[in-house]
Amino acid sequence: MRADGKINTLVLGSGGREHSIAHYLSKSDLTGDLHCAPGNPGMMEIAAIHRADPCDRRAVLGLCKAYGIGLVVIGPEAPLAAGVSDSLRASGVRVFGPGRAGASLESSKSFAKKFMRRHGVPTSDFDICTDPDECREAISRRTHPYVIKADGLAAGKGVFLADDAGDAEQICRDLLIEKKLGAAGETVVIEDFVSGLELTVFAITDGDSYRLMSPSRDHKRAYDGDKGPNTGGMGAYSPVRVPNDFMRRVEEEVIRPTLKGLRSDGIEYRGVIYMGLMLVGGGDARDEPGISVIEYNVRFGDPETQAVLPLFRGDLARTLLACADGDVKSCPEVDNSGAALCVVLASGGYPGGFVRSLPIRGLEGGCGESEDFPGSFIFHAGTDLDRDGRLVTAGGRVLTVVGVGGTFEAAKARAYARISSISFDGMHYRKDIGWSEE
Ligand code: GLY
C-alpha cells in the first residue's frame, strides 16, 4: 500500500480478459499505478506494459520489486498451474489467483473429477485411463457420444467427442501412444455425455466466503448457428436466463461443497473459480433441472469476463484485494445489473491458419466509450504495434467488442454498432451472439 492509500497493481496476461480486468481496476480509486505483463497495445491507454513472461516467477517478482507492486492479478491458467502465485506469496506479495495445488482443479481433469466425486459435487460418471485397454473397457461401458478429455492443459484443444466407439478408441491411442498432446494426454478421462444448456458462473472466493457474479454463456463455434469448428470463444453474454432459484442451487450444490472439499483437502484458494455448468433436463423453462459440473477453471473465462465485469456493481480492485487478503466476507454483496454482450473479431481463417500483421482500422479514437458509441468498449485480444507504431493483428482472436445496456437488446445493438466502425482484412465475427436469449 502506498502512502496515499493506493495500491500499485500488476495484471499478468495479454488477452481481452486481462484488458477488461485492467480496465475495471483502473476505474477504482484504490488502484495506483497499473502495470501489465506482457499486456497488449490496448492496455497502453491505461497501464504501463512490460514484456515479461507471466510464467517466469523471477521476472514477475522483479517487476513487483521495481514498481512497488502491492497486488498481482493473474489472468491466464498457465502461470497459476506453474505456481507463480505460490512464489509471489512466499515473497510477501498479495496475489489474486490460486497456488499450484488449487490450480489442479483446471490443470488436471482427473484431479477435478476425483475431487468432485469425493466431495459430492454433481458431475457425470467417469473413468481415468492410462492405457488403451483401460480406454476400450471404459468406452464399452458407455453409449455414444463418447467424451474423452486429455488430463492436462491443452489450450482448449483437449476435449474430444466421438459418435463411434472405434473413433473414440483411436482418439485415446492418439493421446496415449502417439502423444499428440504431449504430456497433457498421458492420462485421459472418459466420461458420460451430458446434454442440456451450458453456462458459466464465476465465484470470487478466499476458500471460505465467496461472491457470485452474473451467469454468462459463451459461443465456442466459429460460425453463426453454432456451426463450424470449435474456437477459444467467439462471444459471450450475461446474464443468462436461468430458472428460479438457480443461483441458490449453485451455491448449495456446487460452490459450498467445492469450498468445503478444498478446505478438507488442505488447499488454500484465493481467486476465482469458474464453474462450467450444464442445466440438465427440460431446458431453462423447467423449474427444477439438474445441475452438472462440466469443468472447473481457476481463472476468469475469456471472453465471458468481458460480458460479466461490466455488470458487477462493486469495486473490482477492492474485491480482488480483499480476496487476496482472505477477507472476501468484508466485500459488500452487490447486485449485478443490466446486460452485456461481447463479440470477438477474429482473423480470417481462425481457428485454422491465419495471416498476422494486418492493419486494424477504426480504433483511432481509443477503446473506451465515445459520443458516437455510448455503452460500448473495445478490449484487445491479439494485437500488436508494427515498426511504424500502427496497430496490427497479431492473433486469431484480435479484438472483443462489448455492448452494455439496460436490456439484452440494447447491449447487443451497441456492440454491433461499434463493430460497424472497425475493420481489418479478413475480419470475421458471429452476428448471432446471444441468440438463445431471443
Ligand atoms: N471461454 C471458455 C474459457 O475461458 O475457458
Side-chain angles (χ1 to χ4, degrees):
M1 191 80 71
R2 307 189 321 194
D4 61 2
K6 292 180 186 284
I7 190 154
N8 292 344
T9 303
L10 170 65
V11 177
L12 296 183
S14 63
R17 164 183 51 206
E18 288 80 18
H19 188 180
S20 69
I21 292 170
H23 171 82
Y24 289 100
L25 290 175
S26 77
K27 300 284 172 208
S28 170
D29 59 12
L30 180 66
T31 302
D33 299 333
L34 189 56
H35 298 261
C36 301
N40 65 42
M43 290 164 158
M44 288 161 89
E45 288 180 21
I46 49 172
I49 70 168
H50 307 275
R51 296 232 173 243
D53 173 0
C55 291
D56 179 342
R57 322 149 176 238
R58 280 207 192 171
V60 175
L61 203 49
L63 287 175
C64 292
K65 290 196 172 131
Y67 296 100
I69 300 296
L71 173 67
V72 177
V73 178
I74 302 185
E77 61 277 20
L80 298 167
V84 170
S85 299
D86 302 299
S87 300
L88 292 171
R89 286 194 179 109
S91 302
V93 180
R94 289 140 116 182
V95 188
F96 178 81
R100 191 201 292 264
S104 302
L105 286 179
E106 177 169 358
S107 65
S108 169
K109 304 293 172 243
S110 61
F111 174 85
K113 291 294 272 190
K114 287 190 282 187
F115 176 93
M116 287 190 264
R117 184 180 274 169
R118 202 163 59 244
H119 297 297
V121 179
T123 192
S124 60
D125 191 31
F126 64 94
D127 286 290
I128 295 167
C129 307
T130 51
D131 76 57
D133 290 338
E134 286 175 335
C135 293
R136 191 172 312 111
E137 159 82 27
I139 290 164
S140 72
R141 279 188 280 104
R142 296 190 157 73
T143 52
H144 72 94
Y146 304 97
V147 184
I148 298 141
K149 293 182 176 170
D151 184 52
L153 293 178
K157 296 190 170 65
V159 180
F160 304 87
L161 278 184
D163 274 326
D164 178 85
D167 292 345
E169 288 178 27
Q170 184 59 47
I171 290 166
C172 295
R173 281 194 296 274
D174 287 347
L175 293 170
L176 295 171
I177 297 173
E178 304 301 324
K179 306 221 180 287
K180 289 211 165 145
L181 289 177
E186 281 174 359
T187 297
V188 299
V189 177
I190 299 178
E191 64 183 43
D192 288 352
F193 178 76
V194 181
S195 69
L197 287 169
E198 210 173 332
L199 74 161
T200 298
V201 178
F202 300 147
I204 292 178
T205 182
D206 54 19
D208 200 5
S209 302
Y210 58 88
R211 294 290 178 266
L212 298 183
M213 305 187 93
S214 178
S216 60
R217 178 172 289 139
D218 74 344
H219 296 263
K220 292 215 168 60
R221 300 287 188 144
Y223 310 128
D224 284 2
D226 286 336
K227 297 204 167 59
N230 259 326
T231 69
M234 294 297 285
Y237 66 94
S238 184
V240 174
R241 209 179 313 138
V242 288
N244 291 338
D245 224 19
F246 171 75
M247 294 301 268
R248 185 193 59 75
R249 288 186 56 207
V250 169
E251 293 187 53
E252 267 178 26
E253 296 174 30
V254 184
I255 190 67
R256 286 192 197 138
T258 298
L259 299 185
K260 194 168 168 214
L262 286 168
R263 289 193 299 270
S264 76
D265 286 358
I267 297 174
E268 187 173 270
Y269 196 106
R270 295 183 184 185
V272 63
I273 299 185
Y274 167 130
M275 293 170 276
L277 307 173
M278 192 72 88
L279 273 173
V280 187
D284 58 356
R286 275 179 42 160
D287 278 342
E288 284 291 329
I291 296 175
S292 181
V293 178
I294 301 298
E295 63 175 350
Y296 292 115
N297 290 319
V298 297
R299 34 90 193 163
F300 286 113
D302 190 348
E304 294 95 322
T305 303
Q306 293 90 305
V308 168
L309 291 187
L311 310 186
F312 178 64
R313 297 290 163 239
D315 180 315
L316 188 67
R318 286 182 199 283
T319 306
L320 302 192
L321 182 66
C323 181
D325 284 343
D327 192 24
V328 168
K329 64 181 178 316
S330 71
C331 298
E333 301 265 5
V334 292
D335 282 344
N336 296 287
S337 60
L341 178 140
C342 70
V343 184
V344 169
L345 308 186
S347 291
Y350 174 79
F354 53 85
V355 176
R356 291 166 196 263
S357 304
L358 299 170
I360 302 171
R361 297 171 287 270
L363 268 67
E364 296 75 13
C367 297
E369 292 186 276
S370 66
E371 271 185 24
D372 288 342
F373 299 111
S376 100
F377 304 89
I378 297 165
F379 296 121
H380 290 223
T383 66
D384 206 349
L385 298 176
D386 70 9
R387 278 195 204 149
D388 301 322
R390 289 179 312 170
L391 187 68
V392 294
T393 63
R397 295 192 291 174
V398 177
L399 300 166
T400 318
V401 181
V402 183
V404 186
T407 61
F408 171 80
E409 289 72 23
K412 182 168 184 174
R414 286 174 162 174
Y416 283 102
R418 185 88 182 242
I419 289 171
S420 65
S421 70
I422 303 168
S423 65
F424 50 87
D425 290 353
M427 174 174 116
H428 76 95
Y429 60 93
R430 282 185 58 163
K431 321 282 186 302
D432 66 345
I433 299 299
W435 63 266
S436 48
E437 291 301 295
E438 290 172 350

